[in-house]
Amino acid sequence: MVSMSEKSNRSGQPNLRREVEILAATHEIYAPSPDVVSNANLPNYLELQQQALSDIITFWDDQAQTFIDWFEPYQQVLDNSNPPFYKWFAGGKVNIAYNALDRHARTWRKNKLALLWEGEPGDVRLYSYFGLWREVNKFANVLRSMGVKKGDTVTLYMGRVPELIIAMLATVKIGAIHSVVYAGFSEQALADRIEDAGSRVVVTCDGAWLRGKTVNLKDIADAAIHRSPVVQQMLVVKRTGQQVRMAPGRDFWWHELMNLPIASPYCEPEVMDAEDPLFILYTSGSTGKPKGVVHTCGGYQVFIATTLKYVFDLKEDDRWWCAADPAWITGHSYITYAPLILGATSFMYEGAADYPYPDRWWSLVEKYHVSVLYTTPTAIRRLMRFGEAWPNRHDLSTLRLLGTVGEPINTAAWRWYYQVIGGERCPIIDTWWQTETGGFMITPTPVVPLKPGSATIPFVGIEADVVREDGASCEPYEDGDLVIKRPWPGLARTIWNNPEQYLSEYWSQFQAQGWYFSGDSARRDDDGYFWIIGRTDDMIKVSGYPLGTAEIENSLLSHKFVAEAAVIGLPDAVKGQVIHAFCVLKTGLQGDNRLVDELKEHVRHEVGPIAVPAAVTFVTSLPRTRSGKIMHRLLKAQVLGQPVGDTSTLADQ
Ligand code: PRX
């Protein structure tokens, strides 16, 4: 075993806190209770997990038949004739909205609740499968009447309201491709994403509720469109009732359109090829330009339905609450699509977890009898700070499973979640995955023994490994690159408009072996459990939201006083990471507190509140490699007072 001080992740950063936690928790095992095992959807999961690798084709074929209705059968489960551009369920014809709604609306499930929703001010909306299907049909017809057709892109920039789910499903029902942009992003970020996707139609809201205040989504969308004139139509949901400017001929109210004859309540689903694009979702890339990850119609739905069914063990009478934002992949896969495909009942909440009081979430669990809750370590840490008296005031006994995603969960947060929220009865399902993987990759199911802070073992049919740079598997407890050695149906197929970037970001590092490079460093313990250490690239995760350093740096550089800029992520007890910015000012200028505030405001305006640096330091130069790349790890080590590691590529030493 390597000594603690020698171990570091690939970015050269020792991560001592994670280090100590992993060593302590490797032997802290929580075995599933016999009750949980006997009730699990897949009690023989561990055997299947071992066996499935010998025949992944049969495994995925079975799942595709079990969970999905096909308009026309596929001819081949996996076409791997042109790796890494894999095709799953080749030749199959399908529509995800049909599987999510149409087929249920024809059975007894038409009366079942598909979605229970509560707004931040306390208003409630309930949708049956039939009701949701009808709304989706109506909006799909509205989109068609706007000229949207198969293959077009539609950008959705909305708060956490049911209309977002409806708009996503309506878009894919008619074969168009949605690009959902998180409502926390500001005008430049939105403009870049609209432009890259080439959307003529944007759907937004007048505003969104956040902590009793409103965010002016329509104003931001207007400003973005001004920068990105490709948009011809904007459809606006009235949510907050605030004043907005409606451009005649360009902007239309959702509720008015939905009352016109064009919004007829039946819409034939478009017949899609399994490999047609389904949606684009932008995530942070290694360049300043956001990277549009593309998922496709067939394999994605097979993968998300299978993983949700077995990992969260969903049952007909569950009330599932995935507390993510629908704008992130977690929300796409596990709010909008997979629960509906499985015919489950979801709960969704619009606002902040601690508004107006720190027990808002716990009161919602009690009020709606939530049985499975899935959230992030950041949310748990934030709510944990208020103390256990808040959850203890509520009856949380309906909960039977808890989940987490987005970053490594520290043991203190894990234990609090397990003991205080789950009453030591609910397994914690720590799911490791990415926007690009579509769904859960390394994760326990309720029958897998747990270790706090470990995402445990790969899902059935997923061959994951931790390897050295030459591809050799690492020894137990040795850090290396987390790779996936075989394709899986939920794999993103390309980067929108940029297949070269797809190849270089994910497939160039282990090109000879043909493995998927996750960009995470990880290690395995002697039981084969996976422990994620963190990113090896420049992605920063603030409160679990992925942000690219380059996008924030570019926004700083667009300020008239800034000559050079670098941002790094620093550890934070609640948010996981916070942003620290370093700026070199143009000649002759002096930085002061006023400029710090101005720069923060500038980033808020350009990228969004989530990207605002916690600190800004003015420096006279930035450490760069001889080829001119900023050495982020060096800045980080300096701030943290840690050894700077290998500096042989540093310019001007
Ligand atoms: O670093 C890993 C971290 O989140 C990254 C993916 O981010 P994103 O594409 O935004 O998707 C997040 C939701 C799926 C990963 O590369 N990550 C995700 N889940 C975990 C995690 N790190 C540790 N443990 C997890 N469970």
Side-chain angles (χ1 to χ4, degrees):
M1 208 168 104
V2 194
S3 85
M4 249 169 61
S5 57
E6 282 172 75
K7 279 185 275 177
S8 64
N9 60 27
R10 274 272 300 269
S11 59
Q13 283 306 310
N15 186 340
L16 289 180
R17 196 179 56 180
R18 179 87 179 126
E19 193 82 49
V20 170
E21 293 202 323
I22 293 176
L23 287 178
T26 355
H27 302 295
E28 186 180 338
I29 298 175
Y30 293 72
S33 73
D35 204 31
V36 168
V37 177
S38 62
N39 283 319
N41 284 338
L42 209 56
N44 62 341
Y45 178 80
L46 287 169
E47 289 147 49
L48 195 64
Q49 198 255 358
Q50 294 290 315
Q51 288 160 10
L53 282 183
S54 61
D55 188 2
I56 59 164
I57 298 301
T58 305
F59 176 75
W60 288 118
D61 193 12
D62 287 349
Q63 310 315 316
Q65 298 299 328
T66 305
F67 294 112
I68 303 303
D69 287 352
W70 300 84
F71 298 143
E72 285 176 37
Y74 44 86
Q75 278 102 47
Q76 207 180 356
V77 175
L78 171 64
D79 171 355
N80 54 7
S81 56
N82 182 26
F85 294 100
Y86 297 101
K87 291 183 180 161
W88 281 90
F89 310 110
K93 305 287 179 206
V94 73
N95 185 297
I96 195 168
Y98 174 89
N99 280 309
L101 292 172
D102 296 55
R103 61 174 179 168
H104 300 311
R106 289 191 196 133
T107 68
W108 64 270
R109 281 208 190 96
K110 73 191 269 185
N111 297 321
K112 184 178 172 176
L113 280 175
L115 180 66
L116 302 93
W117 176 85
E118 185 165 313
E120 196 185 76
D123 46 334
V124 175
R125 279 198 255 164
L126 307 179
Y127 292 86
S128 64
Y129 269 88
F130 181 81
L132 193 60
W133 172 71
R134 205 167 178 276
E135 291 298 297
V136 167
N137 284 342
K138 290 178 68 174
F139 195 63
N141 285 326
V142 166
L143 288 174
R144 272 198 177 137
S145 75
M146 297 275 157
V148 178
K149 53 184 193 323
K150 184 173 179 172
D152 288 349
T153 64
V154 178
T155 294
L156 311 177
Y157 179 66
M158 306 164 74
R160 233 176 290 173
V161 287
E163 286 87 348
L164 173 51
I165 309 287
I166 292 167
M168 291 169 82
L169 286 155
T171 305
V172 299
K173 185 154 200 179
I174 61 171
I177 302 163
H178 58 67
S179 160
V180 183
V181 179
Y182 174 53
F185 278 129
S186 294
E187 56 192 67
Q188 187 61 50
L190 175 60
D192 289 345
R193 286 158 178 77
I194 292 175
E195 195 137 302
D196 189 72
S199 301
R200 279 188 305 108
V201 174
V202 171
V203 187
T204 188
C205 301
D206 51 355
W209 286 109
L210 193 65
R211 300 185 171 282
K213 300 205 178 83
T214 59
V215 182
N216 302 333
L217 294 185
K218 172 72 165 65
D219 288 354
I220 299 171
D222 281 343
I225 287 170
H226 189 68
R227 296 184 188 208
S228 173
V230 39
V231 176
Q232 290 169 7
Q233 242 91 60
M234 186 140 62
L235 315 184
V236 189
V237 173
K238 187 172 261 183
R239 169 61 190 141
T240 53
Q242 65 203 94
Q243 277 293 322
V244 292
R245 281 184 310 274
M246 298 290 280
R250 187 197 69 183
D251 300 350
F252 300 91
W253 286 110
W254 171 293
H255 60 273
E256 289 180 0
L257 294 171
M258 291 288 265
N259 278 326
L260 295 176
I262 49 166
S264 66
Y266 183 75
C267 171
E268 193 63 32
E270 192 74 39
V271 175
M272 304 300 287
D273 188 87
E275 285 300 327
D276 280 336
L278 175 67
F279 63 78
I280 308 169
L281 187 52
Y282 287 92
T283 183
S284 63
S286 54
T287 64
K289 230 169 89 77
K291 183 170 74 174
V293 170
V294 178
H295 282 286
T296 50
C297 292
Y300 172 78
Q301 56 179 305
V302 172
F303 191 62
I304 59 170
T306 309
T307 46
L308 184 62
K309 179 75 178 181
Y310 297 141
V311 171
F312 280 100
D313 197 40
L314 275 205
K315 309 272 204 285
E316 200 67 70
D317 59 354
D318 264 317
R319 285 195 163 182
W320 159 252
W321 181 10
C322 169
D325 196 290
W328 302 107
I329 190 68
T330 314
H332 278 53
S333 299
Y334 298 114
I335 299 177
T336 304
Y337 293 116
L340 294 175
I341 293 172
L342 297 177
T345 298
S346 282
F347 171 70
M348 180 172 152
Y349 164 62
E350 178 183 37
D354 53 354
Y355 183 84
Y357 299 108
D359 62 346
R360 182 69 185 265
W361 267 22
W362 315 127
S363 72
L364 293 170
V365 169
E366 179 175 0
K367 180 172 171 189
Y368 293 96
H369 281 204
V370 172
S371 54
V372 187
L373 171 65
Y374 183 39
T375 183
T376 58
T378 297
I380 298 162
R381 285 192 295 264
R382 188 166 292 151
L383 294 170
M384 191 173 135
R385 269 189 323 175
F386 299 112
E388 54 188 79
W390 291 99
N392 286 347
R393 284 167 49 186
H394 296 278
D395 177 3
L396 306 180
S397 63
T398 52
L399 288 171
R400 66 179 190 88
L401 279 177
L402 298 171
T404 154
V405 61
E407 350 148 35
I409 180 163
N410 52 311
T411 25
W414 195 97
R415 291 206 190 96
W416 191 82
Y417 201 28
Y418 184 73
Q419 288 160 0
V420 179
I421 305 306
E424 300 193 2
R425 166 187 88 246
C426 309
I428 306 263
I429 308 293
D430 180 348
T431 59
W432 176 86
W433 58 296
Q434 308 177 298
T435 304
E436 297 84 347
T437 71
F440 312 142
M441 297 292 282
I442 300 180
T443 174
T445 71
V447 308
V448 176
L450 305 173
K451 300 184 185 188
S454 167
T456 75
I457 54 176
F459 187 71
V460 184
I462 303 298
E463 192 183 353
D465 199 1
V466 177
V467 300
R468 299 182 185 146
E469 266 173 77
D470 65 1
S473 292
C474 290
E475 295 294 321
Y477 299 99
E478 181 188 342
D479 288 4
D481 287 316
L482 176 55
V483 296
I484 312 293
K485 294 185 165 177
R486 292 182 205 208
W488 65 100
L491 168 68
R493 300 297 196 268
T494 191
I495 302 291
W496 186 252
N497 286 336
N498 205 342
E500 301 79 30
Q501 193 182 5
Y502 179 69
L503 292 176
S504 67
E505 296 242 352
Y506 309 109
W507 301 99
S508 63
Q509 297 78 358
F510 296 99
Q511 196 176 5
Q513 298 90 336
W515 298 337
Y516 170 85
F517 174 76
S518 70
D520 276 3
S521 64
R523 74 178 60 159
R524 271 188 306 181
D525 64 19
D526 34 23
D527 291 326
Y529 274 41
F530 285 75
W531 300 79
I532 310 300
I533 311 291
R535 301 290 307 170
T536 57
D537 61 13
D538 294 339
M539 189 202 281
I540 301 177
K541 283 219 142 183
V542 178
S543 302
Y545 296 138
L547 296 163
T549 46
E551 193 170 11
I552 308 169
E553 286 163 3
N554 286 348
S555 81
L556 286 164
L557 287 172
S558 71
H559 188 279
K560 56 183 183 295
F561 293 162
V562 178
E564 289 179 63
V567 299
I568 56 170
L570 292 181
D572 180 84
V574 175
K575 296 180 176 175
Q577 283 188 305
V578 290
I579 296 166
H580 190 131
F582 296 85
C583 294
V584 179
L585 296 179
K586 289 186 178 155
T587 324
L589 296 173
Q590 287 285 321
D592 57 14
N593 285 343
R594 252 199 27 228
L595 185 57
V596 168
D597 290 344
E598 195 176 313
L599 291 173
K600 287 184 181 178
E601 195 43 44
H602 185 71
V603 175
R604 177 190 308 277
H605 191 254
E606 294 289 305
V607 188
I610 192 84
V612 174
V616 179
T617 306
F618 298 109
V619 290
T620 49
S621 68
L622 292 173
R624 287 183 187 270
T625 62
R626 285 186 213 109
S627 61
K629 276 185 93 176
I630 296 170
M631 294 182 82
H632 292 94
R633 69 170 178 83
L634 208 78
L635 282 169
K636 202 160 161 177
Q638 279 167 354
V639 176
L640 296 173
Q642 289 172 341
V644 291
D646 177 14
T647 56
S648 54
T649 57
L650 184 66
D652 305 317
Q653 287 183 80

